[in-house]
Amino acid sequence: MLPDARIPAGPMAEKWDNHKFDMKLVNPANKRRFKIIVVGSGLAGSSAAATFGELGYQVEVFTFHDSPRRAHSIAAQGGINAAKNYRNDGDSVHRLFYDTVKGGDYRAREANVHRLAQVSVNIIDQMAAQGVPFAREYGGLLDNRSFGGAQVSRTFYARGQTGQQLLLGAYQQMMRQVHLGKVKLHTKKEMLDVVVKDGEACGIVTRDLVSGQVEAHSGHAVVLATGGYGNVFYLSTNAMACNVTAAWRAHRKGAYFANPCYTQIHPTCIPASDEFQSKLTLMSESLRNDGRIWVPRNPDETRSADQIPEADRYYFLEEKYPAFGNLVPRDVASRNAKTVVDQGLGVGPLKNGVYLDFVDAINRDSAEVIEEKYGNLLQMYERITGEDPYKTPMRIYPATHYTMGGLWVDYNLMTTIPGLYAAGEANFSDHGANRLGASALMQGLADGYFVLPYTIGDYLAPRLQKKLVDPSDEVFTQAVAGVQDQTARFIGIGGTRSPDHFHRELGKLVWDYIGMARNATGLEKAISEIKALKDEFWADLRVLGTADSLNSSLEKAGRIADFFELAELMARDALDRRESCGGHFREESQTEDGEALRDDENFAHVSAWEWNGSDQPQTKHAEQLVFDEVHLTQRSYK
Amino acid sequence: MSNTLNLTLNIWRQDGPNGPGRFETYKAPGIPEDASFLEMLDLVNEELIAQGKVPVEFPHDCREGICGSCGVMINGQAHGPERGTATCQLHMRKFSDGDTIDVEPWRAAAFPVIRDLVVDRSPLDAIIEAGGYISAPTGTAQDANETPIPKEVADSAMDAAACIGCGACVAACPNSAAQLFTAAKVWHLNSLPQGQPERYRRAQNMVETMELFFGSCTNHGECSEACPKEISQDFIAYLNRDHMKAKFFNRKLASQR
């Protein structure tokens, strides 16, 4: 049974305010009696930890990085949305809410999205007060840019390093709490299990990545802010260490995993060039403000880009979607790029990309203006490809970037395990089947700054007499032993193939069958091939070195083992969802002109999967989505 | 398929902070010139694993020059020969067939080696903890446009705030000083209107903490040269000015004299 999502009653615009008043409070003097564990130090984790500390809770933060500032939020480039309407162009909380529900192809929970839009304005205020150097106009006021899926300019940015600046803001605010003794920071410790006693989360088990020590930590509540699972594709724009392990171990302990098949393929990344490639690099969506996307009309085109006259260029997004043009949402842009490349119109040595061209923008605004807006991105492109994007159009192609699916949470961001919360990309809640650009930073900070600090008190208030579970308790010793056993098992296999080998092979399967386009035959094939590869992994893995020192092969092995299980569930979820929506495109379900065709009658629900043990498949629970405010239509960006 | 290089690598191997270190020499044949420096190390590690040898530990994560995790000395230069480039964005096309490349961890007393090429950079977090923030608790903020900030000021703050905390400045400095790292954060915050109330105590506290771990600055300028974000040495002058002023004007100290 899926627990109640606890969506407050009342009109949409009043739900959050009413709910804040209805929730129980912990009085200031009692807050210090509670210990909250936060796992992950990205936007959601750092901002939550800082705010819990300010409120007076005891906080312990765990990150597997050497510093909290390394969390992958740092790599977000383009910006953060907020319904400030500083441009006077018709934006409002309602419009941001509406755009986000529509952009998510009507598969998000309305009440959560509305709350997100409401607090978006507070985030900008908060971050500006902390000294985040947002881009400004000469008059000293904040500047905005446009992002996909919106017809207003509501995206705030700090050059092409918005994620970095926001994360450093949240990190600095957390370090202030570390200085004040409210937050205790644990670096280089990877969470490898959630511990549950009497049906409530009571702590975590970590492995110290330097000493190999496996440790138990108890808390009154646990927040997982551990990011998404895009690295299941092996090649993605995620950092190398991004993984699903914390969320997955929670899933194995009883937290339902929602909509795993909703993965976002970002349209503008540098195309893969070779087998050795370890990751794909994103080029911010903001580039689509000024860059024009095209391919040559002739598949046998041999001229260089600048020699191809206008008439022989196919600006496929501008032609198909005149209203939104190059700024259609990510899923639409990605699928169209795939279509033209599949038609043989691709560019570059492997014919696996499309052009993103700045010539018109440079002629209109000058190279200096373009450099000021996108300089660091264009420089990054030049470093990687050895080509100058001011002269030659950039080559781009879609790549896995973000995962909308994640741990199922209720309106309070609590998972199906009481006392265990999931925030940021780790939960499933706000983006439906497709996330709009510049909304991930918004959601991470909304969850950490403005949602969890309220909702966690509602859980803790009645548990004032609850004692921390002692780390010597059986629930902890068993969990510790489980982690130690698994570590020993990896080293003991003594096979012939490295962890990276299996990760790369798994990634190929996931990309081929659970990538941008999916069909029943492929998904069934994926399930059987993933299983076969998983068996090979457990029989032929080679992890060298020891368990009591820094050993990145060992760390990877644990993460890949979880990716295998996740990949299988992704395939099963994709197979079960016999409709297309957002980033989930089932070839069997498309409109006449190839757009995603939803089936609202049968699939206007969240699929939340319950773990049943390693030897049998998960059970699906459906949370019906109710749309009171937004009218369900076929999405059109034409 | 890109052109390939045949390389010889001298890589520093060290089992732990207290163990002795040594260079080990590895042949790296057939390295594609489109590979990044870290992808080259991936290929070396795959080969080591195939031979049953423990792979080289090296720091890395985002591989797009922003997380600040990576960083090794390449032929004695922090992040290698290309200006304004972190190790992850250095590509092998910058090297030639037949090259011998020395690869070492950051060398600084404040950054003990954890294993092989990985060092402990936690003193940088300690500097931030000492004052690298603006005290603005959640919920207290006014509307963001209530405080206009001249574009030049915001841009200059951003130039300083671009620091990725990799530690190359320390590794490149003959004194292992962390002035550029500290100055970048101090100037980011001290130049903004929001940073004024804590301006002088920030400068003083961060410098004092810095001096617990790191050497002194003698204006060699190696830090800016090595910085993958090309952060200007000028910020160190601003740091010194604010630190000096803090010494004169610190009201708390005044009552103790």
Side-chain angles (χ1 to χ4, degrees):
Chain A
M1 249 291 278
L2 194 64
D4 180 18
R6 290 199 279 183
I7 298 164
M12 188 61 65
E14 293 167 25
K15 281 180 193 287
W16 176 233
D17 285 339
N18 291 341
H19 189 62
K20 279 197 283 189
F21 184 74
D22 290 339
M23 280 185 292
K24 296 184 231 17
L25 297 172
V26 180
N27 98 36
N30 281 336
K31 286 201 176 82
R32 67 176 75 99
R33 293 168 62 177
F34 290 112
K35 188 194 273 185
I36 303 174
I37 288 176
V38 178
V39 186
S41 65
L43 284 179
S46 288
S47 59
T51 312
F52 292 150
E54 287 163 6
L55 288 170
Y57 294 112
Q58 300 173 52
V59 188
E60 294 208 26
V61 176
F62 293 83
T63 169
F64 60 41
H65 290 291
D66 68 338
S67 162
R69 65 184 292 156
R70 315 265 185 240
H72 193 52
S73 305
I74 199 117
Q77 299 170 352
I80 176 166
N81 287 328
K84 281 287 198 184
N85 194 30
Y86 283 163
R87 298 293 102 186
N88 193 31
D89 58 359
D91 200 9
S92 62
V93 166
H94 191 76
R95 188 176 297 281
L96 175 54
F97 155 70
Y98 190 94
D99 285 350
T100 306
V101 174
K102 177 187 173 194
D105 217 354
Y106 310 98
R107 289 295 174 263
R109 205 188 269 155
E110 273 194 337
N112 287 54
V113 178
H114 197 277
R115 172 177 66 191
L116 176 67
Q118 276 177 285
V119 303
S120 68
V121 296
N122 305 106
I123 294 171
I124 299 304
D125 299 342
Q126 176 64 30
M127 300 321 281
Q130 281 174 26
V132 169
F134 284 119
R136 287 177 186 267
E137 309 268 14
Y138 282 103
L141 304 180
L142 291 164
D143 194 14
N144 290 103
R145 52 168 62 143
S146 307
F147 257 58
Q151 287 174 310
V152 294
S153 271
R154 62 160 76 98
T155 305
F156 296 80
Y157 65 101
R159 293 191 192 148
Q161 293 122 287
T162 317
Q164 180 199 25
Q165 293 310 313
L166 294 175
L167 178 63
L168 292 181
Y171 151 77
Q172 287 161 200
Q173 200 185 354
M174 177 173 78
M175 293 311 282
R176 175 170 167 257
Q177 294 302 312
V178 171
H179 184 65
L180 296 170
K182 301 289 187 185
V183 172
K184 188 166 180 221
L185 183 61
H186 302 264
T187 56
K188 286 203 163 281
K189 287 191 204 285
E190 180 170 21
M191 190 206 102
L192 292 177
D193 211 353
V194 168
V195 183
V196 180
K197 187 178 165 87
D198 303 329
E200 295 183 346
C202 65
I204 60 169
V205 172
T206 60
R207 178 173 175 273
D208 184 309
L209 300 185
V210 177
S211 70
Q213 194 88 32
V214 178
E215 299 158 352
H217 303 274
S218 56
H220 291 95
V222 176
V223 175
L224 300 184
T226 50
Y229 50 86
N231 268 348
V232 68
F233 288 87
Y234 184 68
L235 282 182
S236 84
T237 66
N238 284 187
M240 303 303 286
C242 293
N243 66 79
V244 76
T245 288
W248 197 256
R249 306 278 164 106
H251 174 55
R252 293 178 64 122
K253 279 289 174 82
Y256 293 1
F257 207 98
N259 300 335
C261 79
Y262 291 168
T263 53
Q264 179 165 77
I265 314 289
H266 193 292
T268 51
C269 304
I270 302 175
S273 68
D274 223 326
E275 181 78 0
F276 61 81
Q277 192 150 354
S278 56
K279 75 159 283 169
L280 296 170
T281 302
L282 176 81
M283 290 284 109
S284 166
E285 175 159 323
S286 60
L287 294 170
R288 288 198 271 146
N289 270 294
D290 287 301
R292 298 180 69 193
I293 294 176
W294 63 280
V295 287
R297 286 193 189 273
N298 178 4
D300 302 318
E301 184 60 70
T302 51
R303 291 170 289 187
S304 68
D306 57 328
Q307 298 299 316
I308 302 175
E310 203 67 14
D312 293 343
R313 297 175 175 198
Y314 178 25
Y315 293 93
F316 52 95
L317 292 178
E318 295 176 25
E319 285 185 24
K320 278 178 80 175
Y321 308 97
F324 281 70
N326 291 302
L327 283 173
V328 292
R330 290 175 174 176
D331 54 337
V332 178
S334 292
R335 260 198 306 280
N336 279 282
K338 177 178 173 5
T339 306
V340 295
V341 168
D342 288 350
Q343 287 166 354
L345 298 173
V347 299
L350 303 175
K351 290 183 81 79
N352 63 346
V354 300
Y355 286 130
L356 177 63
D357 195 340
F358 283 92
V359 168
D360 287 347
I362 289 172
N363 290 341
R364 183 184 68 225
D365 293 340
S366 84
E368 288 70 39
V369 170
I370 296 302
E371 186 183 357
E372 177 160 326
K373 282 189 187 168
Y374 312 112
N376 71 315
L377 299 171
L378 300 180
Q379 183 198 44
M380 197 192 296
Y381 180 85
E382 190 274 327
R383 292 273 190 281
I384 292 169
T385 62
E387 293 173 2
D388 178 1
Y390 294 94
K391 299 202 176 82
T392 319
M394 295 167 76
R395 285 177 295 114
I396 53 158
Y397 196 63
T400 303
H401 175 58
Y402 186 87
T403 53
M404 284 73 69
L407 291 173
W408 184 90
V409 289
D410 64 15
Y411 188 72
N412 288 345
L413 304 184
M414 190 157 85
T415 67
T416 52
I417 300 175
L420 179 71
Y421 291 77
E425 192 179 350
N427 74 29
F428 88 105
S429 73
D430 294 354
H431 306 296
N434 174 54
R435 178 176 65 74
L436 290 182
S439 286
L441 300 180
M442 172 173 69
Q443 187 222 337
L445 290 173
D447 289 357
Y449 276 135
F450 296 108
V451 180
L452 279 175
Y454 289 93
T455 60
I456 211 158
D458 189 57
Y459 170 79
L460 293 172
R463 289 170 175 76
L464 202 52
Q465 302 309 323
K466 193 179 165 185
K467 292 205 165 53
L468 283 177
V469 177
D470 195 89
S472 64
D473 191 284
E474 201 183 336
V475 286
F476 276 111
T477 51
Q478 276 176 1
V480 167
V483 168
Q484 285 165 335
D485 286 351
Q486 198 190 37
T487 306
R489 195 172 158 200
F490 287 131
I491 292 181
I493 296 172
T496 64
R497 299 287 197 168
S498 71
D500 279 342
H501 165 81
F502 288 104
H503 194 181
R504 202 178 297 120
E505 294 300 310
L506 172 65
K508 281 183 197 155
L509 288 177
V510 178
W511 179 253
D512 287 345
Y513 299 121
I514 329 175
M516 270 193 280
R518 300 144 179 197
N519 62 56
T521 322
L523 290 167
E524 272 157 13
K525 209 167 159 194
I527 294 173
S528 70
E529 291 192 14
I530 290 166
K531 273 188 185 150
L533 188 64
K534 182 169 83 173
D535 292 343
E536 203 185 314
F537 169 82
W538 283 104
D540 196 26
L541 177 72
R542 173 180 286 185
V543 174
L544 300 168
T546 59
D548 60 359
S549 68
L550 185 66
N551 187 341
S552 46
S553 298
L554 180 61
E555 296 163 24
K556 281 183 203 166
R559 296 167 194 164
I560 296 163
D562 293 331
F563 277 141
F564 272 110
E565 294 181 355
L566 166 78
E568 213 179 307
L569 183 64
M570 277 170 69
R572 211 166 311 110
D573 185 44
L575 191 59
D576 174 78
R577 191 168 281 279
R578 293 176 303 281
E579 64 158 353
S580 295
C581 57
H584 170 62
F585 190 73
R586 279 288 294 264
E587 287 168 349
E588 300 93 327
S589 178
Q590 46 183 309
T591 63
E592 273 174 16
D593 43 3
E595 302 294 337
L597 181 65
R598 292 194 324 271
D599 174 358
D600 292 331
E601 201 171 318
N602 296 304
F603 291 102
H605 63 243
V606 176
S607 302
W609 298 86
E610 179 186 7
W611 179 258
N612 287 319
S614 309
D615 44 359
Q616 51 183 326
Q618 285 95 330
T619 314
K620 175 181 152 179
H621 302 274
E623 178 198 338
Q624 203 58 38
L625 292 167
V626 182
F627 294 91
D628 295 325
E629 297 282 316
V630 179
H631 183 58
L632 273 70
T633 54
Q634 171 68 31
R635 262 188 333 167
S636 171
Y637 292 96
K638 291 188 173 173
Chain B
M1 197 62 193
S2 50
N3 296 328
T4 57
L5 310 173
N6 296 308
L7 304 169
T8 305
L9 301 168
N10 294 318
I11 300 181
W12 186 262
R13 303 297 307 258
Q14 186 171 336
D15 295 338
N18 304 315
R22 74 271 171 200
F23 278 108
E24 286 192 7
T25 303
Y26 303 102
K27 290 280 176 211
I31 300 294
E33 64 174 15
D34 282 343
S36 70
F37 196 84
L38 298 182
E39 285 167 344
M40 183 273 290
L41 291 179
D42 288 340
L43 290 168
V44 169
N45 273 346
E46 282 294 291
E47 182 56 30
L48 288 175
I49 294 172
Q51 295 171 9
K53 294 179 185 155
V54 177
V56 179
E57 293 292 341
F58 61 92
H60 67 105
D61 195 25
C62 78
R63 299 203 175 188
E64 47 191 72
I66 194 74
C67 75
S69 297
C70 72
V72 289
M73 301 301 279
I74 299 167
N75 289 333
Q77 269 182 297
H79 290 305
E82 195 177 4
R83 238 190 110 90
T85 304
T87 304
C88 60
Q89 293 193 288
L90 176 65
H91 281 68
M92 298 313 292
R93 66 179 80 92
K94 302 286 171 189
F95 295 88
S96 308
D97 189 37
D99 277 359
T100 297
I101 308 174
D102 296 338
V103 189
E104 294 170 80
W106 288 163
R107 302 286 191 194
F111 293 163
V113 171
I114 293 173
R115 190 181 175 91
D116 297 340
L117 304 173
V118 181
V119 299
D120 176 0
R121 287 167 289 190
S122 52
L124 298 181
D125 285 325
I127 295 174
I128 299 297
E129 187 191 325
Y133 45 76
I134 287 169
S135 299
T138 309
T140 54
Q142 57 177 0
D143 186 90
N145 263 349
E146 295 264 323
T147 310
I149 300 175
K151 187 174 186 313
E152 297 79 2
V153 173
D155 283 351
S156 154
M158 181 64 219
D159 288 342
C163 168
I164 58 174
C166 63
C169 47
V170 176
C173 176
N175 307 331
S176 299
Q179 248 76 5
L180 190 65
F181 171 84
T182 309
K185 186 48 64 188
V186 166
W187 188 247
H188 160 210
L189 300 173
N190 280 12
S191 65
L192 294 172
Q194 292 91 337
Q196 296 314 305
E198 292 164 301
R199 179 172 187 162
Y200 297 108
R201 76 183 257 126
R202 174 181 303 118
Q204 181 156 2
N205 291 344
M206 288 178 71
V207 167
E208 281 174 6
T209 304
M210 174 184 79
E211 287 175 344
L212 295 177
F213 299 97
F214 295 95
S216 303
C217 174
T218 45
N219 289 316
H220 280 72
E222 294 286 341
C223 49
S224 280
E225 287 293 311
C227 177
K229 298 296 149 186
E230 300 182 83
I231 289 175
S232 165
Q233 194 189 349
D234 293 353
F235 294 128
I236 297 177
Y238 292 137
L239 170 70
N240 290 340
R241 185 189 65 183
D242 276 12
H243 182 237
M244 179 113 80
K245 277 190 175 175
K247 288 286 182 199
F248 279 110
F249 297 124
N250 188 318
R251 296 184 179 91
K252 200 171 114 201
L253 276 183
S255 64
Q256 292 167 4
R257 272 190 200 121

